Structures are given as C-alpha cells and as structure tokens.
Amino acid sequence: MQFLCKKFLCSSPYLFLLILLLCSVDGPAQETPEIDSLKNLLTDQQDSIQVDVWHKLSMSYQNYVPDSAMRYAQQALTLSENLNYNKGIADAMLHIGRLKRDKGNYTSALEDMFISLKYYEEMDDSVQIANNYNDISIVYALSEDSETSRGYFHKALDIFRSIGDKQGESYALNNIGLIYEQEENLEKAKEFYLASMSIKIQRKDGYGISRGYNTLGSLSSNQGNYQEALSYFFKADSLFVKLNDEASRPVNFNAIAKAYFAMGNLPKARTYAQQSYEIAQQLNSTRYIELILKTLAEISAAQRDFEAAYRYQVLHEAANDSLHQESREKHLAKLKAEFDDEQQKTEITLLKQEKLLQEASISHQQTIIISLVAGLIMILFFSVALYLANNRNKKKNKLLASKNQEIHQQAGVLSEQKNHLEKINKTKDKLFSIVSHDIRSPLNTLKGFSYLLTQQIDAMDKEEMQRVSRRINFALDNLSQLLDNLLNWSLIQTGHKKSEFTSIDINALINFNIDLYQATAAEKGIQLLNQSEQQLYAYADYQSINTVIRNFISNSIKFSYPNSSIFIRAQYQNNTVEVSIIDQGIGMSDEVINKIFSADKKESQKGTHNESGSGFGLTLCHELILQNHGQIQVSSKLREGSTFSFFLPIGKSKEVKVLQ
C-alpha cells in the first residue's frame, strides 16, 4: 500500500509530522538478514518462484539503494516475459513505475503503471487494480494535477469498499483528504480525515489512529483552531506512549509548542519545545534536532531572550550543515562504491583472461610433451605421423600467438577504461569540493542576513536595511554566476556541451554585458568604457564568448579600486579579433598569473571591497576559449591593474549572431 507524500506540504510546519510518517523512510545502508535469506533463494531455475524472489529483493532495496532495486525489478520483468507470466509482468511494471516516480520521472512512471493496470484488469485482480489506481493518483499529485489525482483516489476507494478492504479504504480516504488540504479546502479535508479515522478506530489500528490524531491536529492548526489542535496532539502523544513509539514524540511535541506559540502562551511553548529537543537528542536524530532548534530560536526571540535565541540559532545552523554533510557523504560513498564495483569488474576480467592464457599455455605444453613421447617411441615406424604432429603444433602456436595478442589488446582497452574512470572520479570530487566550499559561503551569508532581517527588522533604520539588502543582492549575484559557471564547466567535462559556431557581432556583445554590469560597477564608482572598433565580427560559439566576457568584466570590477575605470577594447589583429578587458586594480604577481587558469592550484584572492570568489570562472574561460580555437593572454602589475585578452578567428558580417 502506497501513501501520498507531497513536497509542497512541507512548507507548513504543522504538517511536518504527517509527511514524515506517510513518506517512505530511508533504511540503513546495509543488507538485512531478510535480504540475505532472499539472495540465498536465488537459483538458475526459470519459474514463477524465482520471479517472486527477484520482486521481493527489489522491494527490499527500494528505500535505500534504488539503483539495485531497479536492476532486480528488471530481472523479474525479463524472467516473467520469458515465462509469459502475466502476474509477474504486472507486478514488475508497477514496481518499476514506483521507482521511476521516486526519481521524479513522472511521465515514464505513468506509462509503466498503465501497462501494469491493463494486465491486472485482464486478470480481474481487484486488490491490485485498487493499489494501481492509488499509485497512479500519487504520481498525478506529485505532478500537481490534483483534480486527476483525486479522481483516481476515488476509483481506488470504490474498489476497496466493494471488496471490503477496510485498511485500503482508510488509506484512500486519508489520501483524498491530503489532496483537499493541498487545495486549501480544509473543511473538505477534515471530512475525509474523520471518515478515515472512524475506520481506524473500528479496526483498533493503534498505529493509524495515532497518526490520524496528529493529522487532524495539524489541520486544526492550519485553520487557527489551536485549542482543538492541542486536544488532537495530546491524544496522539498518549497513543505514542502506549505504543512505545518514542520516535514520533519529538515532532508531535514541536507541533504542540507551535500551537502554544501561536496562542501567545510562550512559557508553555518553550516548555514543550525543550521536551521535544531532549527526546530528539536521546534519539540522536539530526533531522528532528534541526527542526526543533529553529522553533526554540523563534520562541526565545519572541520572549526577548536574545542570548538564548542566538545560541539556538547557531545550533540550528550547525545541525543543518550536519544534515547536508551527511547527505554529501552518502552521495560520495555511493559514487566510490560504484567506482570500486567497476574496478573490481575490471580486475575480475583481467584475472579471467590470465587464466585463459595459462590454460592455453598448459594445453600447448601438454601437446608438445605428448608429441615428443610419441615421436621418440614411434620415430622409426611413424615418421609421417611425426611430420603431421609438427604441422599441428605450428598451427596451435599461431593460434596461441593470436590469442595472446588479442588478450594484450583487451588489457590495453581495460587499462584505458580504468584511467577514464579515475579521471571521472577526480572530476566529480573536484566538483563536489567546489559545491561544498564555494557555494556554502554565499548561502551562509544569505541565511545570516535573512535571520537578521526576520528577528531585528523593527530595530533597523532605512539605511541599515538598504545595506543589508545590497549585501543580499551581491551574494545572490555571486551565487548565480558560480552556478552558471559550474553548469558550463560540467557540460564541458562530460562532453555534453555542443558548440554552435557562427559570426558574432563582438561590439554588440560587449555593450550587452556592459549594460548587465553597469549597476554593479556603479556601486564602487567604476566606469565601464567600450573603446572598440565598429563592425567587428568573430567566428565562434555565441554562448561561450558571452560567458567569457561576462566573467572577465565581473572579475575586473571585483579587483578594481573604487572610482576607477575599466576599458573594453576589441580590434582586428593579425587576422584575428582581439578582445581586451583592462582594469586599474590591485594586479597580480607572476606566481599568481601562473596558477589562475588551473583548477588544481586555485588560490582565490579577496576583492577591493573584500569580495570573495572561487576563481573557478577563469578556469572555465580558459577552456571555452580553447574550444573556440582561440588563445588567451594575461598581463598584470601589482597595484597597477591587469589586462585579460583573448583572440578569435574573424567572422563574416552577414552571418552575425543576434543578441538574445
């Protein structure tokens, strides 16, 4: 049975527990005894029992190794098709659709689910038809097509009722309520939640009842009925205690604290938030701790206990960073496992080939020995036979030499593949390093100023607010440019960036970028001056050269002294188009110039207003110019300024690229 989990609902703090409980929970990244026992059941037999084993293995891996889950599901599908086993085909197609849905591939997921539905309808399997409708509904809900989603949920509900499946009926009613709540039709949502709760109470489903009370509490909080919400939350907590479900209590207490906070009862709000924090610490749940620390910071700030608010906010940021670090470490571990797996496969292949070579050599030696013995014994009587045996040996020698050469060629190919994998792994590590360090700085700046505006905006004057707004805008510009550079660089590294060579109006492109950075330059009192010749055309890729000019102008503004000028000059030079960006800034030493285009030896400098950067844009510019059959030059003197120049082939005016 699948539950509805919608990303947009997480924007409401009162629905957090509901989403947490309804979504699939990540399992531990290790094989359980159940998985081991299933693997032991795998044999070479081609029957429906093996199909079921593959299917169960896929479901066991779904929540923590989705790629393995997909492989097992494909195995189940292939075997079912070979056996013409329709139930196996239907089950595999439905599960493959779920895995694609979890990866966000909604269109392909629906195609697989509708194929599965057709098989279930032919088999007249009412239970699986209802479950299939439920899964189709979830995909439409995730695609934000709530009307279609609700229609399929009602179809599932009708079937569950017709076959007397009370558990399925309660789940379908709850999911329809979630759709109505998403549409902000809270009264209708409550109607379906209560209907779902009624069935759970009849079935004495303690687990479902506790979640139902929490759902109703969240809904009442959204409606502003905080007393009613508290009643539901306290009922949910009493069941959590009875069921020994300690893991559900922290977020429920946090919801209680939020309700008291909204009612203005700050002491009680803080008491329950602190209880929630204590339980979350006992559970060692970073996800819960991060959520609750934010609530404690908000309550402390409202009580004007700014010291505690600051302390909780710092702890919240640390927990948030820890969550992101855990996610990065899991991703890196997964990449390393994939790389190790490929390396292991390569080593196994080499060992197999070495074994073949040894077997061939042994066979050859045995043949020689047999031939010699037979020749010595029968040399007087079988000279003709000895002659024929020698001919056979010559043929085998040629075959062995041919196989040996083929094996060496394959070993060379495998060595190249191994080197390629190592290069890809280093490229990924480099990209993750940039994302981890250089993106975090502007994000932390944005979070800090956002928190400052949220908590202290009433104490700020207009000038302070403008200053903070400018800093936020600057951080966003830096972040946007870095992400754009990262995207272009990753496309280059993976070979997916295709250049479209045409004639470009260089002068128009320069003016376009001057207009783009005019406001940024004005903040430092810097003039951007175009001193280019008219009617200059270069033959290159438009987007690449636009990226280069944009990065060079941004870099010059960053390192220019206030109240200075930046000159952009373009001219024909020795059958090329020369473009130069000249600033009057801090300049660079020869040692720095030798490293600025290397991604492995990056030493980022601070700008004249203490601006920070990764220096990654210059590496990207260097690669883009080389891709466009051009050259790049840098000259600089400390405290006098720098000149960045690049040279491109000349283009024709009639093929000029229109500015976009």
Side-chain angles (χ1 to χ4, degrees), residues 69-318:
M70 180 63 80
R71 286 198 301 270
Y72 290 133
Q74 293 287 359
Q75 291 276 10
L77 177 61
T78 301
L79 182 54
S80 297
E81 289 175 339
N82 293 338
L83 297 171
N84 291 321
Y85 179 33
N86 288 345
K87 185 181 185 306
I89 295 173
D91 291 343
M93 291 298 293
L94 178 58
H95 194 57
I96 289 171
R98 290 170 179 167
L99 293 169
K100 290 180 179 178
R101 175 199 65 201
D102 293 344
K103 284 191 172 184
N105 191 353
Y106 301 141
T107 301
S108 183
L110 281 174
E111 291 175 357
D112 292 337
M113 288 178 180
F114 278 116
I115 292 173
S116 173
L117 178 62
K118 182 178 179 182
Y119 278 99
Y120 287 135
E121 288 175 340
E122 290 175 355
M123 293 183 287
D124 196 24
D125 188 339
S126 299
V127 174
Q128 284 300 88
I129 291 172
N131 288 333
N132 210 322
Y133 281 149
N134 198 66
D135 280 295
I136 291 171
S137 303
I138 293 172
V139 177
Y140 278 116
L142 292 171
S143 304
E144 300 187 18
D145 186 350
S146 58
E147 184 176 351
T148 305
S149 174
R150 184 167 53 248
Y152 278 102
F153 274 136
H154 275 291
K155 286 185 177 182
L157 177 62
D158 291 341
I159 294 176
F160 285 135
R161 284 174 171 169
S162 67
I163 62 178
D165 186 343
K166 289 295 183 180
Q167 183 183 30
E169 181 181 352
S170 68
Y171 290 161
L173 287 167
N174 188 80
N175 286 339
I176 295 170
L178 282 171
I179 294 297
Y180 278 117
E181 188 168 358
Q182 173 224 329
E183 295 174 336
E184 298 184 0
N185 189 343
L186 303 186
E187 291 298 329
K188 199 70 175 175
K190 187 172 184 178
E191 175 187 333
F192 279 88
Y193 287 154
L194 290 172
S196 174
M197 177 64 83
S198 176
I199 295 174
K200 292 170 183 175
I201 292 172
Q202 290 175 10
R203 297 183 64 249
K204 297 181 180 179
D205 180 3
Y207 179 89
I209 294 170
S210 63
R211 272 68 184 169
Y213 280 140
N214 187 270
T215 300
L216 289 166
S218 298
L219 181 66
S220 297
S221 291
N222 286 340
Q223 292 176 307
N225 299 330
Y226 300 115
Q227 285 291 357
E228 183 179 67
L230 287 172
S231 174
Y232 284 128
F233 288 141
F234 284 125
K235 288 179 180 179
D237 185 64
S238 65
L239 281 174
F240 291 147
V241 173
K242 183 177 179 181
L243 296 170
N244 198 24
D245 187 0
E246 198 70 11
S248 300
R249 299 189 72 198
V251 182
N252 192 53
F253 274 155
N254 189 62
I256 293 172
K258 289 278 191 179
Y260 276 124
F261 182 53
M263 295 169 65
N265 192 337
L266 300 182
K268 278 196 173 182
R270 190 163 181 174
T271 297
Y272 280 99
Q274 287 172 336
Q275 289 183 27
S276 176
Y277 182 48
E278 290 171 3
I279 298 174
Q281 285 182 309
Q282 293 171 6
L283 294 172
N284 195 25
S285 171
T286 306
R287 179 167 49 183
Y288 290 171
I289 290 171
E290 186 266 346
L291 169 75
I292 297 161
L293 282 170
K294 184 176 181 181
T295 302
L296 280 167
E298 292 172 352
I299 295 171
S300 299
Q303 290 180 315
R304 306 193 67 79
D305 186 355
F306 295 114
E307 181 180 353
Y310 175 75
R311 184 173 69 255
Y312 287 131
Q313 182 65 22
V314 170
L315 291 172
H316 166 72
E317 297 294 342

Side-chain angles (χ1 to χ4, degrees), residues 347-365:
E347 292 173 355
I348 291 172
T349 303
L350 288 172
L351 289 173
K352 286 182 178 179
Q353 291 176 346
E354 288 178 2
K355 183 179 178 182
L356 288 174
L357 183 61
Q358 291 174 355
E359 290 176 351
S361 177
I362 292 171
S363 175
H364 175 60
Q365 292 173 4

Side-chain angles (χ1 to χ4, degrees), residues 33-42 52-53 56-57 60:
E34 179 185 356
I35 291 177
D36 290 336
S37 64
L38 285 171
K39 286 187 175 181
N40 291 333
L41 295 175
L42 290 174
D52 293 338
V53 174
K56 289 176 181 177
L57 272 171
S60 298

Side-chain angles (χ1 to χ4, degrees), residues 548-556 581 618 621 632 644 646:
V548 173
I549 293 175
R550 185 177 71 247
N551 273 278
F552 279 178
I553 292 177
S554 173
N555 207 53
S556 293
I581 291 83
L618 295 177
C621 291
I632 192 166
F644 287 81
F646 59 90

Side-chain angles (χ1 to χ4, degrees), residues 567-617:
F567 305 95
I568 300 95
R569 296 173 184 164
Q571 58 184 353
Y572 289 118
Q573 181 72 25
N574 297 331
N575 294 322
T576 64
V577 174
E578 178 185 3
V579 181
S580 300
I581 291 83
I582 307 157
D583 65 58
Q584 299 170 331
I586 62 176
M588 297 175 287
S589 65
D590 291 340
E591 182 181 0
V592 173
I593 291 175
N594 291 334
K595 296 178 180 179
I596 59 174
F597 293 127
S598 172
D600 296 324
K601 302 178 180 179
K602 193 62 60 190
E603 291 182 8
S604 178
Q605 301 184 86
K606 294 289 185 180
T608 54
H609 275 183
N610 204 34
E611 302 100 321
S612 62
S614 64
F616 186 72

